[in-house]
Amino acid sequence: MRAPLAALAALVLTAGPASAEPAVADVCALTSPKLAELSGLASNGDEWFAVNDSDPGRVEVQVLDRSCGVTRTITAPANPYDVEDLALAPDGTVWLADTGDNGKTRETVALHAISPDGTSRLFRLTYPDGKHDAEALLLDARGVPHIVTKEPIGSALVYRPTADLSDAAPTPLEQVARVSMRGTDTPGGPLESTVVTRLVTGGAMSHDGRVAALRTYTDAYLFPVPDDGDLAKALESDPVRVPLPNEPQGEAIAFDPDGTLLSATEFAPNASRSTIRAVPGAAALAAPAPTTTTPPPPQGTGDTAASPAPAADRSDISPWAVIAAGAAALALVWLGVRRTRTRRRT
């Protein structure tokens, strides 16, 4: 399996950013009904860790071999409300983002941390500005969790805790960044609307911490992280877009240690399988350039100084697009509420 993926790496690395379409290879088929609504994925290089959107009344993480077979299940006694993503810390702790809130009804959201020894902790969190639905979790180089919201209209919002997490009382969150994404023509998603190409449905960090990835139903966006590890700053920079076409409900994304980007979707309606796909060498497309010591050009020579490149256009969508987005948002909320099974709040 690794040989075909390695062969594709050259194709990916020669593709240009944003407008290019890197090679996306099918790796293996997921057939376990335990992952019919796969929403989060992580990798340690040998195994994949996956979480289902609809829980069985307890925290469950399915551990997969690299042929998509479930080899074991990690459980925790907590009864989650709506787990939407997961991240794997360097020490082997699995962090689950219990942050889904389609109906905007939750007073708190939560993170579940499951250690390699099987112990688990529950950390409740509160937003500073009202309720949000969120499906993406990122851990920065210091292990600080960042939650990215799913916004049908306007920019996705990035939140992180204002203090160390505590299992004794909810920890307040603060907004630290906004992520602007434009609609694309990449096919896929639950609705035929460009709105679904802007909704953030998952996140991942490269193993060296130098690239952050956010995905929508149809595309992945790769953000170079500066040397100081400032993830909030990285998420407001211009990303590299990697199309992930024809995923009916694409919500899972991860990095292998070698920089391969992994993508997966929920089962399509009436389907009995989905596919984990790979974009070899993807992290290299967005890795920050090495720091150089090249001196600045001489000043006062009479030549006109070069103007800085114009900032990327991050203007909001037009009024007509807002109306269309509002209609699509209502449809998405209806779909989410219809799909969400009754859960007890964390």
Side-chain angles (χ1 to χ4, degrees):
M1 178 185 65
R2 292 180 181 271
L5 295 185
L8 285 168
L11 294 177
V12 174
L13 292 174
T14 56
S19 60
E21 298 207 4
V24 183
D26 289 351
V27 179
C28 55
L30 272 171
T31 58
S32 172
K34 295 179 179 180
L35 293 171
E37 295 186 25
L38 175 65
S39 62
L41 190 67
S43 171
N44 65 9
D46 297 318
E47 298 176 310
W48 295 327
F49 300 79
V51 66
N52 206 50
D53 193 350
S54 295
D55 63 81
R58 64 185 181 275
V59 171
E60 280 195 357
V61 177
Q62 308 301 328
V63 183
L64 313 176
D65 60 25
R66 297 185 70 90
S67 62
C68 286
V70 176
T71 60
R72 57 193 172 96
T73 301
I74 301 171
T75 62
N79 186 4
Y81 184 90
D82 188 3
V83 175
E84 290 286 358
D85 203 2
L86 84 168
L88 186 65
D91 66 358
T93 298
V94 180
W95 287 84
L96 292 96
D98 187 0
T99 55
D101 191 12
N102 285 311
K104 307 290 181 64
T105 61
R106 302 179 66 174
E107 297 299 328
T108 64
V109 294
L111 297 174
H112 303 266
I114 307 176
S115 301
D117 63 6
T119 59
S120 64
R121 299 180 70 186
L122 168 65
F123 304 103
R124 290 185 172 86
L125 308 164
T126 57
Y127 291 107
D129 54 356
K131 303 174 178 65
H132 295 277
D133 186 27
E135 298 188 2
L137 173 65
L138 299 168
L139 297 180
D140 71 10
R142 297 176 299 152
V144 176
H146 290 59
I147 295 170
V148 185
T149 64
K150 183 181 182 182
E151 305 289 344
I153 299 175
S155 302
L157 307 177
V158 183
Y159 295 87
R160 70 184 176 204
T162 60
D164 291 340
L165 298 177
S166 170
D167 52 11
T171 303
L173 296 166
E174 61 178 343
Q175 184 191 326
V176 294
R178 303 172 71 93
V179 185
S180 297
M181 295 179 182
R182 293 187 177 277
T184 73
D185 59 0
T186 307
L191 293 174
E192 293 185 5
S193 168
T194 57
V195 173
V196 304
T197 69
R198 300 175 51 252
L199 299 175
V200 176
T201 61
M205 293 292 298
S206 64
H207 283 241
D208 61 8
R210 293 175 63 81
V211 179
L214 294 176
R215 72 158 301 157
T216 67
Y217 287 116
T218 57
D219 301 86
Y221 294 84
L222 310 181
F223 299 82
V225 179
D227 291 341
D228 61 6
D230 189 339
L231 182 55
K233 179 180 179 181
L235 294 175
E236 290 194 330
S237 67
D238 292 326
V240 174
R241 181 173 68 91
V242 177
L244 302 171
N246 302 317
E247 295 188 358
Q249 190 89 14
E251 297 187 13
I253 193 169
F255 279 107
D256 267 338
D258 66 0
T260 295
L261 185 72
L262 303 170
S263 169
T265 179
E266 293 185 2
F267 289 14
N270 303 316
S272 59
R273 56 179 281 172
S274 66
T275 302
I276 290 182
R277 304 194 296 170
V279 182
L285 297 173
T291 303
T292 64
T293 56
T294 303
Q299 302 296 316
T301 61
D303 295 333
T304 302
S307 300
D313 181 5
R314 298 189 182 277
S315 59
D316 287 336
I317 52 182
S318 69
W320 288 111
V322 169
I323 294 172
L330 290 174
L332 286 166
V333 169
W334 177 81
L335 282 173
V337 171
R338 189 168 68 89
R339 289 173 54 246
T340 301
R341 301 175 184 176
T342 302
R343 299 183 175 98
R344 189 176 64 198
R345 294 187 183 182
T346 53

